[in-house]
């Protein structure tokens, strides 16, 4: 399917509009019901575009201090995780590759769990030590997985996925072990393993913005290199692409994004797997076109899942990781069933 | 330009996991000619090609392109001179044929600039030269094996190199597509003066198309020269261990090699 420029722009525009509407819904839905119209009015009055004298002060506080930061956090986590999924699927030429399968997420979660158990919860420069440990865990896991898989100075994709899966099991068992040892912290650690956006605040949002936006721009500038790498690494290097260097850079960026996401929200599975995959089926494999859409759709999917996690059993909250997996896994199976040929890409 | 040294190899050895795959190979290739590299499986043909294409990085002072050590090239500068057509492209990718050919312009396009009109024109020219223009908007994974191979050759052509390396370009193709691919290569060789180094399995294809054949055995170059001067029953017996009869193509006089089965009484046995 060839999608021309104007049609592509239209799809991007619609996706962006959908994302904005979803964020507005996220701000409207909750134990205190606020109409979507009021949400927009409050937003506009905040920027002094309309007269805000009639806006309820409590609504304003709920929207700006609780719901908007949470929706924005969902937005950036969705972007970050789907961006990593898109990169991994291209580099490993395998639709099963995502930060969860390769152990990057578990590595971050273990790092965070160790920080919690040891009680080192300090913050420097707005970064908590938990985030730092999560990043260390992610980088270390990626490094170990890559080195187990490596033969000579190349890592074959099958080896990489297998060592990722093995590492994932190993790390998960350590996390469970830590939970058994330190029962006082079980609840906090369960939070990491199930994934939740309940801890959202503007500081988290800012942190994720600072990480995901530059990362997205760097990945975009490597779009042509990534396109060529997906057609085969030998060809890529014969065209002058520095394959190993590009891959290493992508691993570092990906680890950074995953660690930041996990340190803020825990392990949220399937976002990195499903969205890039659907985008590529619809828009084609070109990174230049797929990346912007993956970001928008990943964000929308995450915001939608968060709305559901808060409203399905309201006032109780379901961890958002449960919702994403609940959607993600069956949809993936449906895709496999519907078009087996395309999925094996 | 013709008959200048395009490529020179001095004492190339390669050992992988204590197997000596290439044993002190030295040879040189003149520019503008068509070379076929032949030899039995495991004789080191592909490994030799992978060294020339820098997929396996050779040691210093071993391989020279136009007098310059291949180690001294930047990746993209090397890609402007030497292009490589691998045995197979990952057929799972869903790029259009044109997108794939345009990738051949990678060494010429700067990171923060897109492809210019010139690049697009060159990609289209490459597609016309390889007779793939009419399939430019098709998905690469929906093309037949022969079409896909021609698209990859078009991509190599879009690199505008002077040397084209191919690893068994006709493998898995029927005779119609084999002839089509080889004719395309010969045209590129004659019309644009591109030096071609092509690993081939079929001795007769090598005889038909090449100016020179390079015969490899056990990591050595057994012989190198014009097909009619080099190929004979004795050499083929030595290299491949089979008996052959050699006749001449009735149309153009090129050698045609007929392998003989060692199981002579085949037919009688069946009738018996």
């Amino acid at each position: 399917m060839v999608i021309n420029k104007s049609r592509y722009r239209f799809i991007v525009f619609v996706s962006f509009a959908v994302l904005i509407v979803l964020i507005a819904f996220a701000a409207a839905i909750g134990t205190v019901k606020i109409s979507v119209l009021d949400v927009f009015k409050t937003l506009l009055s905040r920027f002094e575009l309309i007269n805000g004298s009639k806006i309820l002060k409590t609504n304003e506080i709920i929207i700006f201090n609780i719901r908007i930061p949470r929706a924005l956090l969902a937005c950036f986590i969705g972007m970050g995780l789907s961006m990593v999924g898109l990169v991994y699927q291209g580099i490993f030429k395998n639709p099963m590759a995502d930060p969860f399968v390769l152990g990057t997420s578990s590595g971050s979660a273990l790092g965070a769990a160790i920080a919690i158990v040891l009680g080192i919860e300090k913050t420097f420069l707005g970064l908590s030590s938990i985030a730092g440990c999560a990043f260390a865990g992610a980088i270390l896991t990626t490094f170990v997985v890559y080195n187990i898989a490596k033969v000579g100075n190349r890592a074959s994709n099958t080896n990489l996925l297998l060592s990722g899966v093995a590492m994932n099991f190993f790390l998960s068992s350590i996390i469970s072990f830590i939970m058994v040892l330190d029962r006082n912290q079980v609840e906090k650690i369960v939070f990491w393993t199930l994934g939740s956006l309940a801890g959202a605040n503007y500081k988290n949002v800012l942190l994720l913005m600072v990480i995901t936006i530059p990362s997205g721009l760097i990945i975009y500038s490597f779009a042509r290199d990534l396109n060529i790498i997906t057609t085969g690494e030998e060809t890529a290097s014969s065209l002058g692409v520095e394959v190993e260097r590009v891959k290493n850079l992508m691993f570092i960026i990906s680890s950074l994004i995953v660690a930041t996401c996990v340190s803020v929200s825990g392990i949220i599975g399937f976002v990195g797997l499903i969205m890039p995959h659907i985008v590529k089926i619809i828009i084609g494999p070109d990174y230049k076109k797929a990346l912007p859409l993956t970001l928008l759709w990943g964000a929308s999917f995450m915001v939608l899942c968060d709305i559901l996690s808060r409203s399905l059993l309201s006032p109780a909250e379901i961890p958002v990781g449960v919702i994403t997996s609940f959607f993600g896994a069956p949809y993936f199976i449906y895709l496999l069933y519907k078009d087996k040929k395309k999925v094996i890409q | 330009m013709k008959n200048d040294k395009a490529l020179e190899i001095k004492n190339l050895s390669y050992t992988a996991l204590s197997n000596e795959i290439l044993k002190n190979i030295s040879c040189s290739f003149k520019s503008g000619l068509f070379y076929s590299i032949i030899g039995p499986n495991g004789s080191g043909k592909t490994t030799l090609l992978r060294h020339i294409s820098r997929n396996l990085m050779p040691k210093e002072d071993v391989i020279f392109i136009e007098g310059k050590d291949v180690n001294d090239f930047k990746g993209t500068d090397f890609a402007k001179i030497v292009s490589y057509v691998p045995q197979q492209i990952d057929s799972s990718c869903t790029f259009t044929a044109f997108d794939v050919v345009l990738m051949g312009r990678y060494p010429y396009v700067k990171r923060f600039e897109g492809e210019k009109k010139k690049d697009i024109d060159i990609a289209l020219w490459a597609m016309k030269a390889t007779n793939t223009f009419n399939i430019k908007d098709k998905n690469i994974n929906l093309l037949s094996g022969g079409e896909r191979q021609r698209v990859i050759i078009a991509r190599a052509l879009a690199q505008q190199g002077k040397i084209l390396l191919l690893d068994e370009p006709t493998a898995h193709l029927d005779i119609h597509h084999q002839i089509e691919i080889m004719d395309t290569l010969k045209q590129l060789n004659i019309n644009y003066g591109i030096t071609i180094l092509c690993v081939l399995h079929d001795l007769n294809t090598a005889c038909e198309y090449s100016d020179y054949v390079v015969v490899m055995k056990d990591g050595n170059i057994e012989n190198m020269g014009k097909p009619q001067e080099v190929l004979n029953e004795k050499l083929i017996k030595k290299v491949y261990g089979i008996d052959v009869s050699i006749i001449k193509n009735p149309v153009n006089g090129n050698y045609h090699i007929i392998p003989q089965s060692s199981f002579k009484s085949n037919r009688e046995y069946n009738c018996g």
Side-chain angles (χ1 to χ4, degrees), chain A residues 1-2 93 154 221-222 224-225 227-228 230-232 234-235 237-241 285-286 288 341 344-345, chain B residues 50 55 75-76 79 84 86 89-90 92-95 103-104 106-107 109-112 115 137 142 155 159:
Chain A
M1 178 172 21
V2 178
K93 293 181 211 83
R154 277 166 198 270
S221 75
F222 278 87
R224 286 187 321 119
D225 308 61
N227 281 343
I228 295 174
T230 56
T231 69
E234 219 168 67
T235 326
S237 68
S238 79
L239 282 168
V241 180
D286 183 358
K288 265 192 190 139
K341 203 181 155 212
I344 312 167
Q345 56 178 358
Chain B
R50 283 168 55 102
N55 272 311
T76 44
Y84 173 63
I89 157 171
D90 211 316
S92 60
C93 67
T94 49
F95 287 101
M103 286 176 186
Y106 177 87
V109 180
K110 296 205 176 80
R111 176 161 314 285
F112 297 103
E115 287 88 358
D137 293 324
L142 299 177
R155 171 168 72 183
Q159 285 174 247

Side-chain angles (χ1 to χ4, degrees), chain A residues 9 17 29 31 45 48-50 64 107 130 138 144 163 175 182 232 246 257 265 268 279 282 292 295 329 344:
Chain A
R9 281 198 192 124
I29 291 167
T31 27
S45 74
E48 296 185 349
L49 294 169
I50 58 167
F64 282 103
I130 295 180
V144 170
S163 65
I175 294 174
D182 195 339
V246 173
I257 297 173
S265 68
I268 298 176
V279 167
I282 292 171
L295 294 179
I344 312 167

Side-chain angles (χ1 to χ4, degrees), chain A residues 190-241:
Chain A
V190 166
F191 160 85
W192 296 106
T193 52
L194 286 181
S196 164
L197 294 168
N201 57 42
Y202 279 113
K203 233 162 94 194
N204 290 341
V205 172
L206 193 71
L207 174 68
L208 268 160
M209 258 175 80
V210 168
I211 299 291
T212 49
I213 292 176
S215 304
L217 290 174
I218 293 173
I219 294 171
Y220 189 78
S221 75
F222 278 87
R224 286 187 321 119
D225 308 61
L226 289 167
N227 281 343
I228 295 174
I229 287 173
T230 56
T231 69
E233 287 179 17
E234 219 168 67
T235 326
S237 68
S238 79
L239 282 168
V241 180

Side-chain angles (χ1 to χ4, degrees), chain A residues 39-52 55 57 59-61 63-65 202:
Chain A
V39 170
F40 276 113
K41 272 186 190 161
T42 317
L43 278 174
L44 292 173
S45 74
R46 183 69 168 230
F47 299 108
E48 296 185 349
L49 294 169
I50 58 167
N51 182 3
I55 306 293
K57 199 75 198 155
N59 280 4
E60 209 178 322
I61 290 171
I63 290 172
F64 282 103
N65 293 6
Y202 279 113

